[in-house]
Amino acid sequence: MSLDTAGTAGTAGTAGTAGTAGTAGTAGTAGTAGPAAEPDVRRHELAAFLRSRRERISPEQVGLPRGRRRRTPGLRREEVAQLSAVGVTWYTWLEQARPIQVSPQVLDALAGALLLDPTERTHLFSLAGQADPHPETPCPTVTPALRELLDRLEPVPAAVQNSRYDFLAHNRTFGRLFCDLDALPREDRNSLWLAFTNDDFRSAVTDLPEVLGALAGKLRASMAEHLAEPAWKALLDRLQAASPEFREIWARHDVVDQSGRTKLIRNAEVGPLRLEHTNLWLGPMAGPRLVTYVPVDEASRKGIERLLARVLTEERVKAAQAAEPPARLAAV
């Protein structure tokens, strides 16, 4: 009997159960382990992912009272269930990796309740084996109030950034501070990717070697809590594949803290700008933060005002062009 036949016999027949041929001989196990194990692995990965996301969110971030006796890090299971409008028992089973079906609508609600960013949301639906019904859903971390704050900070450049250094949102001045951020695909809007691969971004940084080392060290410090997470591993693999410079710096194993500092930026449109870089955390230190670049002198203040004025002028021109009626076809 061939190995493939033995594997089938151990599963379909009674030999694997009564005579242990399927388990002791390993042929039955080898014949069925792959397909049978994959859903189980996915369920456990999904359970671990949900649990890690739940534990990183404070009650205050989602408008819930902390209470006096809170031993659970982050949110309780019943709080996630309440926020996503699902049963507590059902959500508990989900975190216990039980074989239950999850609809795209429930995943959508869980993504909102757990404040998942776009990369995390994609990972959630992938683990659950479901298609995302709203793939362009805005990141729930960037609330309408936070979006309004970004706009009101103009002309001061400001952005919301997660601990992986992805830009989740930004105002118009920040969008043109280093490069044209809006012209880039979402997956490229990351500080490290831009610093190591984008020519416009690199040209704007006046102390590039120092910045590259600092960014790699900050990523390593942040990644300590996310070593097993696919989004972090994907970013690291992408950087190592694209940049020999990153590979060399990453191999040093340097770690750098998250403190801000004054930066001299060589803006392609308005010239040099001296700006104070500040991080304002929106929750736990490992979570998203508001990044601002405040001018430190009068010349820089006028420079960012000119930069915003240029952006506004371009917006008016585009709006006027869009409002123009289409040209009539010439009579034949």
Side-chain angles (χ1 to χ4, degrees):
M1 182 183 295
S2 69
L3 288 180
D4 290 342
T5 308
T8 305
T11 305
T14 58
T17 306
T20 70
T23 53
T26 70
T29 305
T32 59
E38 184 178 352
D40 188 59
V41 170
R42 281 180 174 273
R43 284 198 305 271
H44 282 84
E45 285 287 335
L46 176 61
F49 180 66
L50 290 172
R51 189 161 51 250
S52 69
R53 300 305 86 182
R54 172 174 60 83
E55 291 176 350
R56 72 173 185 172
I57 301 173
S58 67
E60 294 84 353
Q61 284 180 271
V62 291
L64 296 176
R66 171 167 290 277
R68 293 184 178 180
R69 298 182 179 180
R70 178 175 291 271
R71 298 178 181 177
T72 304
L75 297 177
R76 300 186 178 101
R77 285 174 176 169
E78 56 266 30
E79 291 170 333
V80 175
Q82 173 190 340
L83 290 167
S84 52
V86 300
V88 177
T89 301
W90 185 90
Y91 180 75
T92 300
W93 287 352
L94 198 57
E95 278 202 11
Q96 292 174 345
R98 298 212 188 175
I100 57 177
Q101 291 296 319
V102 191
S103 70
Q105 292 73 23
V106 168
L107 292 171
D108 184 41
L110 287 173
L114 295 172
L115 306 181
L116 302 188
D117 66 31
T119 303
E120 293 168 333
R121 180 185 175 94
T122 299
H123 183 57
L124 173 70
F125 278 86
S126 177
L127 288 177
Q130 296 282 6
D132 188 348
H134 308 293
E136 297 301 320
T137 299
C139 176
T141 298
V142 185
T143 62
L146 187 52
R147 177 72 261 180
E148 176 74 12
L149 176 60
L150 287 173
D151 293 340
R152 287 185 176 273
L153 282 172
E154 290 178 344
V156 172
V160 177
Q161 197 170 35
N162 62 15
S163 56
R164 202 169 48 247
Y165 291 87
D166 299 322
F167 293 114
L168 305 179
H170 58 273
N171 62 17
R172 289 170 293 192
T173 323
F174 187 89
R176 297 279 280 273
L177 184 60
F178 293 96
C179 61
D180 189 352
L181 205 56
D182 291 318
L184 301 175
R186 176 185 285 177
E187 61 270 20
D188 289 355
R189 299 177 192 178
N190 174 279
S191 285
L192 282 103
W193 181 256
L194 294 172
F196 282 96
T197 69
N198 184 283
D199 290 338
D200 292 339
F201 189 98
R202 292 166 65 90
S203 296
V205 179
T206 56
D207 52 346
L208 186 62
E210 181 181 348
V211 167
L212 295 181
L215 282 172
K218 289 178 179 181
L219 179 67
R220 184 176 288 280
S222 297
M223 196 170 180
E225 299 180 8
H226 307 275
L227 292 175
E229 294 182 24
W232 290 75
K233 291 191 287 187
L235 173 62
L236 182 59
D237 290 345
R238 192 175 181 221
L239 285 166
Q240 290 180 321
S243 173
E245 196 172 19
F246 175 81
R247 292 197 300 272
E248 189 273 325
I249 295 174
W250 188 253
R252 301 174 192 167
H253 291 264
D254 293 336
V255 177
V256 179
D257 65 21
Q258 305 292 337
S259 59
R261 63 186 182 89
T262 300
K263 296 185 177 183
L264 177 60
I265 297 169
R266 190 186 300 110
N267 184 268
E269 300 182 64
V270 298
L273 300 169
R274 291 182 59 83
L275 307 173
E276 182 71 25
H277 170 219
T278 303
N279 294 311
L280 303 172
W281 269 265
L282 304 176
M285 286 287 282
R289 59 190 177 274
L290 177 67
V291 181
T292 61
Y293 286 80
V294 179
V296 299
D297 54 43
E298 185 65 14
S300 298
R301 184 185 67 78
K302 291 181 177 179
I304 63 170
E305 288 176 351
R306 291 199 307 274
L307 182 59
L308 179 60
R310 291 174 68 99
V311 176
L312 294 176
T313 298
E314 290 179 11
E315 287 184 353
R316 286 193 294 269
V317 170
K318 290 179 180 178
Q321 292 174 341
E324 290 179 0
R328 294 182 178 180
L329 293 175
V332 178

